[in-house]
Amino acid sequence: MKQADSVIAILGIGTAVPDYRLDQADTSQRLAQALSEIPDTARWVKRIFKQCGVETRYTCEPNLLESAEDCRYFSQWSNRVIPSTAERMETYKRESVPLGLSAARKALIDGEVEASDITHLITVSCTGQFLPGLDAVLIQQLGLAVTVNRIPLNFLGCAAGLKAVCLSRQIVSSNPSAKVLIVCVELCTLHIQPSSQREDLFGASFFGDGSSACIVGLTESNHRGIFQLGNEHSILLPDSAEEMVWEVGNYGFDLYLSTNIPKLIGRMIPEQIEHLITGCQKPELWAIHPGGKGIIDTLEEMYELTQEQTQPSRSVLRNYGNMSSATILFVLNEMRQKLINRDSGPANGIALAFGPGLTCEMIQIAYLPSVITQEQLTNEFHV
């Protein structure tokens, strides 16, 4: 096939979640019970858990489903010993591997790509580390070539999944024979803090565990229902370094999220989006990383998006919570299934995610029900 008939695209997507399901109402009730000695905080917990847009999420830690007095993560008043960071990292090492393998295998099958064809492996996580790392284990258990170029993206936060997609596009652009496997694994619930501080409880209200994977490479005419990748844009927003902080503590990783983040995004991001889509029509598809309900609300109002346009992001937030770097591929997979189910034609769009810094990663996408010519793609992005 001629190069002009091929496009750089996400060829396949796979997702996986742990076995244990957290019901938001039940979790809120048990956490409020753990905080019963602080009535105002207990009431606030119930309110924020109800309003954050999450109904269910998943965890690798069955202890988080136990009663308040038996849950080691909920409060300093628990009857059990609080897990140390070292213990949480042991759990991460044990639980991250099967999740990553499951998502990767699904992506390979979905993309009709053989493990032996993978030339680059990008592993992404900010919720745990061990060496030899996830990349080494995946090579062994997936049967990848031992010469695969390994690129770990560690401790970059929620935007790292989309950063990996953008990096993969650059790799394939300079090496058309490359096939890049991205595997994101995040076990966010391992870092629930034994604290009554509201900033800790806010983070505990909507983060969940999950893994996602995708294959990026040149596609041929036999692929259907894919996202072509266009221009990307990365920005470190000024004067916002303290708005989202993720540090290693004695009892897991300590997260601080400012309530100002949606307002900052609303003020600073439009200029960056315009920089990316200059000369193009307004995106029809919006794959927004659901870093919180407020972020989706802000972008929906600012760009006058319909409920249908934000549905993939809201659905993922509602059913899985924020799974940090893994989340954006859940959103793209949800969006793709909807487009396939309604037999949609080609549509242009944008994917964007936010992380500590504040960092914003964004990339043009185009849904292709089937591969079309380069001339048609150029028209699709630049009409």
Side-chain angles (χ1 to χ4, degrees):
M1 166 170 285
K2 295 180 181 179
Q3 173 91 16
D5 293 330
S6 299
V7 297
I8 302 174
I10 296 177
L11 305 179
I13 300 175
T15 63
V17 292
D19 293 333
Y20 304 104
R21 179 175 173 270
L22 290 171
D23 176 81
Q24 189 76 339
D26 173 69
T27 305
S28 170
Q29 180 63 37
R30 288 186 292 111
L31 183 53
Q33 181 182 347
L35 297 164
S36 59
E37 295 182 23
I38 315 175
D40 287 345
T41 300
R43 285 191 293 269
W44 181 85
V45 162
K46 288 184 177 181
R47 184 171 68 252
I48 198 65
F49 268 62
K50 185 176 181 179
Q51 295 175 350
C52 70
V54 177
E55 293 181 4
T56 60
R57 48 201 165 125
Y58 293 82
T59 179
C60 66
E61 175 54 271
N63 181 244
L64 284 169
L65 278 69
E66 296 188 18
S67 61
E69 59 268 21
D70 291 322
C71 181
R72 301 174 62 197
Y73 293 79
F74 271 2
S75 169
Q76 61 263 47
W77 296 289
S78 171
N79 296 328
R80 307 281 296 278
V81 176
I82 299 165
S84 66
T85 299
E87 182 181 344
R88 296 178 199 227
M89 290 301 95
E90 281 297 317
T91 304
Y92 175 90
K93 181 178 180 180
R94 181 181 69 248
E95 301 294 338
S96 62
V97 171
L99 271 184
L101 284 168
S102 177
R105 286 171 175 146
K106 291 176 183 177
L108 288 166
I109 293 170
D110 185 48
E112 299 180 355
V113 175
E114 297 293 332
S116 57
D117 293 333
I118 298 299
T119 60
H120 296 70
L121 172 62
I122 302 178
T123 49
V124 186
S125 187
C126 69
T127 50
Q129 297 184 34
F130 61 92
L131 286 173
L134 181 63
D135 54 340
V137 178
L138 289 174
I139 286 175
Q140 295 167 359
Q141 298 200 29
L142 290 175
L144 306 183
V146 293
T147 54
V148 161
N149 191 332
R150 293 174 289 152
I151 308 171
L153 298 183
N154 294 329
F155 218 62
L156 295 182
C158 293
L162 197 56
K163 167 63 79 176
V165 171
C166 294
L167 177 59
S168 297
R169 179 191 175 275
Q170 295 170 17
I171 290 170
V172 177
S173 179
S174 61
N175 180 7
S177 64
K179 286 284 191 297
V180 185
L181 170 60
I182 300 169
V183 182
C184 308
V185 183
E186 301 291 9
L187 304 183
C188 303
T189 65
L190 289 181
H191 301 287
I192 290 178
Q193 297 293 309
S195 170
S196 59
Q197 297 298 312
R198 290 194 175 188
E199 55 265 30
D200 295 328
L201 297 169
F202 177 61
S205 71
F206 63 93
F207 279 95
D209 298 353
S211 177
S212 62
C214 72
I215 312 292
V216 175
L218 284 182
T219 184
E220 298 184 354
S221 58
N222 60 327
H223 282 99
R224 296 292 184 271
I226 60 174
F227 289 111
Q228 190 245 347
L229 300 175
N231 295 328
E232 74 261 9
H233 181 57
S234 177
I235 180 71
L236 183 65
L237 301 176
D239 304 320
S240 58
E242 300 303 317
E243 303 296 331
M244 188 185 302
V245 179
W246 188 230
E247 296 179 335
V248 178
N250 292 330
Y251 302 107
F253 300 166
D254 299 328
L255 174 67
Y256 170 73
L257 290 173
S258 168
T259 56
N260 294 325
I261 291 174
K263 293 180 181 179
L264 287 169
I265 288 173
R267 188 171 73 245
M268 297 182 180
I269 290 303
E271 180 182 354
Q272 305 305 322
I273 292 177
E274 291 303 316
H275 176 84
L276 180 66
I277 66 173
T278 298
C280 303
Q281 64 187 45
K282 179 182 176 181
E284 178 182 349
L285 306 175
W286 288 75
I288 303 166
H289 167 71
K293 180 176 177 291
I295 292 175
I296 306 173
D297 290 344
T298 296
L299 291 171
E300 182 179 88
E301 179 179 357
M302 181 167 298
Y303 287 96
E304 299 180 337
L305 305 180
T306 65
Q307 291 184 355
E308 183 178 7
Q309 287 175 300
T310 58
Q311 185 275 336
S313 296
R314 293 193 189 277
S315 177
V316 169
L317 182 64
R318 181 174 62 253
N319 296 321
Y320 301 98
N322 179 357
M323 298 165 286
S324 192
S325 70
T327 318
I328 192 64
L329 289 174
F330 275 77
V331 174
L332 286 168
N333 197 42
E334 175 91 8
M335 180 179 289
R336 182 182 64 160
Q337 291 305 314
K338 284 179 61 66
L339 292 165
I340 291 173
N341 291 342
R342 71 173 189 234
D343 198 22
S344 174
N348 74 315
I350 186 173
L352 59 165
F354 310 93
L358 289 171
T359 296
C360 178
E361 301 291 338
M362 58 182 74
I363 189 169
Q364 288 179 300
I365 59 174
Y367 173 73
L368 308 179
S370 61
V371 173
I372 56 181
T373 67
Q374 192 65 43
E375 180 181 357
Q376 289 172 304
L377 283 173
T378 300
N379 292 336
E380 179 66 33
F381 273 138
H382 295 289
V383 168

